[in-house]
Amino acid sequence: MEFGRLITAMVTPFDSEGNIDWSTTEKLLERLIVDQQSDSIVVAGTTGESPTLTHEEKLELFSFAVKQANGRVKIIAGTGSNNTRASIELSREAEQCGVDGLLLVAPYYNKPSQEGLYLHFKSIAESTKLPVMLYNVEGRTGVNISAQTTLRLAELPNVVATKDCANLEQLTTIAAGAPEGFRIYSGDDSAALPAMAVGAYGIVSVASHIVGKEMKDMINSYVSGDVVKAAKLHQELSPVFKGLFHCPHPTPNPVPVKHALSLVGLPVGSVRLPLAPITPDEASFVASLKPIKDQLQ
């Protein structure tokens, strides 16, 4: 399965009553596919506020995204959780919805051992024919999928990639030991280019909602050997990479990027509790970021 180098972890648009806004979801998918040049789109991931989406809402989103994409990009369903049986059930149902792959986050709160992580992911992967991307984000889950466990899972036939927010040393270890065809994606926009320098293939991005075209240019420049241009683009994009998570203090994703989308002409609504709406000072900071300020409507 070719997921490409630029994958967007899509927000879930809500209306004023907190229900999924399907009309805006259609517009957002078009923006990501046509304007921002995403190669694949993650639906109902962390950025999509998966913890607050119901099982039925997730299935509706999977089917809707598959239909809207119509083969133009790959749709990756966020079906991971801290309940192995529930993840297996949702993964099987996502497969019936026609998605192209699964994103499986490390089990949060349970704090399993490395053997527990391995058996969790192995059980889900073996329950489906779909390609699986692991998702390692210790800051949110409280557990790190070690390089050794990742490499062990990479031997399973349909575990094809990892989205990893670990340090460059861990990414380097994975890249050095991974079987041919196994791909590493940075889960941190700010680390996209440095991660590629040590063997990552691409990025699962939040900032690509706003600066996807520029990120694609950065990635393509690096891949084609123009490292100087890639570095310059990274430097130019760095304020928005950081700003969407620190505006001007640490702010939970996807609060800032949802506001940024509204500023550039696509109001996707606010967030569901327990996330709180953006504050006035956070909103002002997001509006001041150059790539967003340049797109203000």
Side-chain angles (χ1 to χ4, degrees), residues 10-297:
M10 188 182 80
V11 305
T12 300
F14 297 131
D15 62 22
S16 59
E17 296 183 353
N19 300 311
I20 296 175
D21 184 334
W22 295 106
S23 175
T24 303
T25 301
E26 178 180 342
K27 293 174 185 175
L28 177 59
L29 283 162
E30 287 302 303
R31 173 184 174 88
L32 298 180
I33 296 168
V34 178
D35 299 330
Q36 301 304 316
Q37 301 177 10
S38 298
D39 297 312
S40 293
I41 296 173
V42 173
V43 178
T46 307
T47 304
E49 297 177 71
S50 57
T52 67
L53 296 173
T54 67
H55 186 93
E56 293 72 22
E57 285 176 325
K58 290 177 183 179
L59 294 177
E60 286 184 272
L61 279 166
F62 299 157
S63 295
F64 187 91
V66 167
K67 182 178 179 182
Q68 187 66 27
N70 194 27
R72 291 176 293 168
V73 299
K74 300 294 191 297
I75 299 299
I76 303 171
T79 59
S81 74
N82 62 348
N83 182 326
T84 307
R85 288 187 177 183
S87 295
I88 288 172
E89 179 184 357
L90 184 57
S91 296
R92 286 173 171 167
E93 291 177 297
E95 186 170 359
Q96 295 302 310
C97 293
V99 302
D100 300 291
L102 306 176
L103 180 71
L104 304 180
V105 69
Y108 36 87
Y109 192 76
N110 313 58
K111 300 188 78 172
S113 66
Q114 291 301 310
E115 182 65 14
L117 289 169
Y118 175 77
L119 292 173
H120 169 81
F121 289 119
K122 181 175 183 286
S123 297
I124 303 170
E126 290 179 343
S127 75
T128 178
K129 295 179 181 177
L130 288 172
V132 167
M133 179 185 294
L134 309 173
Y135 180 17
N136 185 34
V137 54
E138 185 177 7
R140 282 185 178 268
T141 65
V143 62
N144 175 51
I145 309 172
S146 72
Q148 292 71 28
T149 299
T150 299
L151 293 174
R152 192 178 170 198
L153 287 163
E155 296 297 330
L156 299 174
N158 63 328
V159 176
V160 301
T162 182
K163 173 188 176 184
D164 207 311
C165 299
N167 56 50
L168 290 179
E169 181 179 354
Q170 180 161 318
L171 298 188
T172 302
T173 301
I174 297 169
E180 184 177 357
F182 184 81
R183 288 177 173 168
I184 301 165
Y185 290 86
S186 172
D188 177 359
D189 284 307
S190 295
L193 189 60
M196 291 185 73
V198 299
Y201 187 76
I203 174 74
V204 180
S205 174
V206 174
S208 55
H209 283 88
I210 306 297
V211 289
K213 290 180 292 186
E214 294 83 353
M215 293 183 71
K216 197 67 169 290
D217 191 14
M218 178 186 74
I219 292 167
N220 289 340
S221 296
Y222 179 81
V223 172
S224 66
D226 193 344
V227 179
V228 173
K229 181 180 179 182
K232 183 170 180 55
L233 287 166
H234 173 80
Q235 292 159 11
E236 292 172 354
L237 293 170
S238 184
V240 77
F241 291 162
K242 183 178 179 181
L244 289 177
F245 290 85
H246 297 78
C247 57
H249 43 74
T251 306
N253 177 49
V255 175
V257 73
K258 277 194 152 185
H259 183 66
L261 282 165
S262 71
L263 291 175
V264 301
L266 188 58
V268 293
S270 188
V271 289
R272 284 179 174 175
L273 289 171
L275 295 181
I278 198 163
T279 65
D281 65 316
E282 291 167 349
S284 296
F285 182 85
V286 171
S288 73
L289 296 169
K290 187 177 186 304
I292 296 168
K293 195 173 182 180
D294 290 346
Q295 297 180 49
L296 286 178
Q297 295 187 6

